[in-house]
Amino acid sequence: TDLGFYERTPGRDLPIMQLNGYGKPPTAYTKGLRFGSFLQERVIIEEEMENVFAGKKTAKQALDDAVKRANVLLRKFEKANK
């Protein structure tokens, strides 16, 4: 939960509130908007980018690998949050 953040600072993050459907129950289309593996997926992207910068992979290969690795985490999140 937001611990009252939006009540204390009205309008500050209105676009985010709207995207998140703040105050409304989740639907089948909005339930996955927040996903618990975001931080891990960001690490995956950073690791794959480092492989590109180090010359270990092409940009395409690194992006393809990032997609494969991140999809594993997304599927786990999807199963846990049906």
Side-chain angles (χ1 to χ4, degrees):
T1 66
D2 62 45
L3 302 175
F5 172 80
Y6 296 113
E7 286 78 14
R8 290 190 313 276
T9 45
R12 178 177 166 129
D13 290 316
L14 185 59
I16 299 301
M17 291 170 61
Q18 290 172 335
L19 285 170
N20 287 335
Y22 184 72
K24 298 176 185 175
T27 68
Y29 298 107
T30 62
K31 194 173 186 180
L33 182 60
R34 297 179 187 171
F35 55 95
S37 57
F38 175 74
L39 295 177
Q40 295 95 325
E41 291 183 33
R42 188 169 61 187
V43 169
I44 288 170
I45 293 167
E46 290 170 355
E47 289 173 353
E48 293 299 339
M49 292 297 292
E50 286 295 325
N51 285 328
V52 173
F53 300 145
K56 295 178 182 178
K57 294 183 180 182
T58 66
K60 172 140 178 46
Q61 185 60 54
L63 290 172
D64 289 346
D65 291 348
V67 167
K68 289 176 192 172
R69 293 174 61 196
N71 278 341
V72 171
L73 295 175
L74 284 171
R75 296 298 80 83
K76 285 181 183 178
F77 179 80
E78 186 177 58
K79 286 180 185 177
N81 293 281
K82 284 190 175 191

